[in-house]
């Protein structure tokens, strides 16, 4: 919920970019961050620092505001952040209903304490750092339209999406507290998308995922790697347990095998023009 508060501030202050690419956060050397957000003639960024366990607002005119990351109610976090922005001369206003969450409570009314464990916040971020590195390598093999590697605060996943270049049928929508027109714009063109969830939303534990939209015929039956990967009929996508990657002899290769094989299933079954979309660049000298 804390990332949703900051994410909605970014959402309100940033021009719309296709497929909601103006919304996510990015992995940094200290945690996760909004990147630069414009406000009038000034700009700011907001970061969750998982080394010092601080929320930091930095402004290009030298302004700075810091809040310790510690157990507190979402409502307390929301009001303190709003006060911090006002103190910096950046009054902001957001829709306080959490996105993509069923039976959600508006931020200012959510008074239940939410636990913050510094060790596990740090561990989660460290895992994201490694995933970001491998996802970026996978992204480098594709010269068609491709998203950045980015962290969506609504679904709370690190994601990467490749596009075939062809338009897709309108998405049905139906995501809780998520406008249907946004879902339709996000999936306006054919995609093969992959990422990582820490769990929840129909998944009992942390896992990597990969899906295609629209799902081509035969996609669910495709043979993918590694052996631990499987197709979830309930979710309509391939899943790979995080532990299968973490405990493998080569986590990088295991994850890359999953990303590549599930992409190939989507691209081959969907008859993408792979020769025009793919290129593997030589490794840089080290």
């Amino acid at each position: 919920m804390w990332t949703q508060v900051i994410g909605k501030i970014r959402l309100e202050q940033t021009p719309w970019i296709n497929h909601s690419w103006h919304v996510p956060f990015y992995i940094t050397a200290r945690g996760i961050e909004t990147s630069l957000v414009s406000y009038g003639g000034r700009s700011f960024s907001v970061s969750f620092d998982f080394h010092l366990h601080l929320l930091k607002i930095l402004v290009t005119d030298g302004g700075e505001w810091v809040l310790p990351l510690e157990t507190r109610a979402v409502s307390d976090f929301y009001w303190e952040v709003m006060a911090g922005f006002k103190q910096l001369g950046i009054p902001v206003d957001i829709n306080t209903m959490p996105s993509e969450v069923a039976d959600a409570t508006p931020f200012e009314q959510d008074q239940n304490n939410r636990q913050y464990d510094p060790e596990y916040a740090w561990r989660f971020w460290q895992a994201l750092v490694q995933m970001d590195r491998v996802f970026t390598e996978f992204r480098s093999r594709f010269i068609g339209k491709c998203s950045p590697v980015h962290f969506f605060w609504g679904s709370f996943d690190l994601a990467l999406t490749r596009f075939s270049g062809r338009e897709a049928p309108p998405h049905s929508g139906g995501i809780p507290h998520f406008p249907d027109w946004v879902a339709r714009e996000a999936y306006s063109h054919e995609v093969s998308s992959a990422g990582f969830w820490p769990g929840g939303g129909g998944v009992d534990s942390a896992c990597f995922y990969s899906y295609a939209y629209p799902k081509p015929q035969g996609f669910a039956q495709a043979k993918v790697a590694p052996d631990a990967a499987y197709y979830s009929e309930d979710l309509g996508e391939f899943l790979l347990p995080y532990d299968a990657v973490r405990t493998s002899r080569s986590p990088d290769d295991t994850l890359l095998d999953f990303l590549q094989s599930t992409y190939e299933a989507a691209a081959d079954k969907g008859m993408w023009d792979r020769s025009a979309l793919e290129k593997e660049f030589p490794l840089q000298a080290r």
Side-chain angles (χ1 to χ4, degrees):
M1 291 300 104
W2 297 353
T3 65
Q4 291 225 10
V5 171
I6 303 304
K8 282 175 175 275
I9 293 171
R10 172 171 165 77
L11 170 64
E12 291 293 337
Q13 299 299 323
T14 308
W16 193 276
I17 298 176
N18 58 186
H19 317 304
S20 299
W21 290 356
H22 61 301
V23 168
F25 299 151
Y26 304 96
I27 311 305
T28 73
R30 288 293 180 267
I32 56 177
E33 184 181 287
T34 61
S35 78
L36 205 59
V37 179
S38 296
Y39 186 92
R42 307 155 72 200
S43 295
F44 65 88
S45 64
V46 187
S47 63
F48 289 84
D49 184 326
F50 296 130
H51 266 288
L52 300 178
H53 303 287
L54 299 171
L55 180 80
K56 298 178 180 178
I57 306 174
L58 302 178
V59 189
T60 51
D61 62 6
E64 181 175 348
W65 185 85
V66 174
L67 178 70
L69 295 176
E70 57 191 21
T71 297
R72 56 162 54 85
V74 173
S75 58
D76 292 343
F77 180 87
Y78 167 77
W79 288 117
E80 290 196 61
V81 166
M82 292 296 114
F85 271 99
K86 188 174 181 180
Q87 180 180 321
L88 292 167
I90 306 176
V92 291
D93 186 33
I94 62 173
N95 178 344
T96 61
M97 183 62 74
S99 297
E100 303 182 60
V101 178
D103 303 319
T105 301
F107 302 135
E108 73 276 16
Q109 298 175 23
D110 189 344
Q111 298 181 356
N112 294 319
N113 268 353
R114 302 301 179 98
Q115 297 298 312
Y116 182 81
D117 188 317
E119 178 184 352
Y120 281 90
W122 185 87
R123 288 188 184 190
F124 176 57
W125 163 65
Q126 284 287 292
L128 292 179
V129 168
Q130 299 305 321
M131 294 171 202
D132 182 88
R133 176 178 56 80
V134 177
F135 284 4
T136 298
E137 180 177 340
F138 177 65
R139 184 179 187 268
S140 73
R141 303 174 181 179
F142 196 77
I143 58 175
K145 179 177 176 179
C146 189
S147 78
V149 178
H150 44 203
F151 186 86
F152 281 102
W153 42 265
S155 46
F156 213 70
D157 61 326
L158 190 70
L160 170 67
T161 302
R162 291 175 168 185
F163 293 78
S164 75
R166 300 189 301 242
E167 291 188 356
H171 193 277
S172 60
I175 302 171
H177 304 293
F178 192 82
D180 288 348
W181 72 266
V182 177
R184 294 191 181 105
E185 195 279 329
Y187 294 102
S188 62
H189 290 69
E190 293 177 345
V191 303
S192 172
S193 189
F196 169 78
W197 273 320
V203 181
D204 291 335
S205 58
C207 69
F208 297 92
Y209 65 84
S210 181
Y211 65 87
Y213 181 82
K215 183 172 67 176
Q217 187 172 3
F219 178 69
Q221 292 75 40
K223 175 65 175 175
V224 302
D227 291 341
Y230 64 96
Y231 186 81
S232 168
E233 292 289 348
D234 291 339
L235 297 178
E237 55 196 50
F238 286 100
L239 300 178
L240 174 63
Y242 171 74
D243 282 346
V245 176
R246 181 180 63 82
T247 60
S248 71
R249 282 189 170 186
S250 174
D252 285 22
D253 290 338
T254 300
L255 178 52
L256 284 169
D257 286 347
F258 177 72
L259 297 173
Q260 184 65 30
S261 64
T262 53
Y263 158 71
E264 289 180 358
D268 291 344
K269 301 296 184 183
M271 294 184 289
W272 290 24
D273 184 0
R274 292 182 57 187
S275 64
L277 296 170
E278 299 171 26
K279 181 177 179 64
E280 190 156 351
F281 293 95
L283 291 175
Q284 295 178 338
R286 300 190 189 282

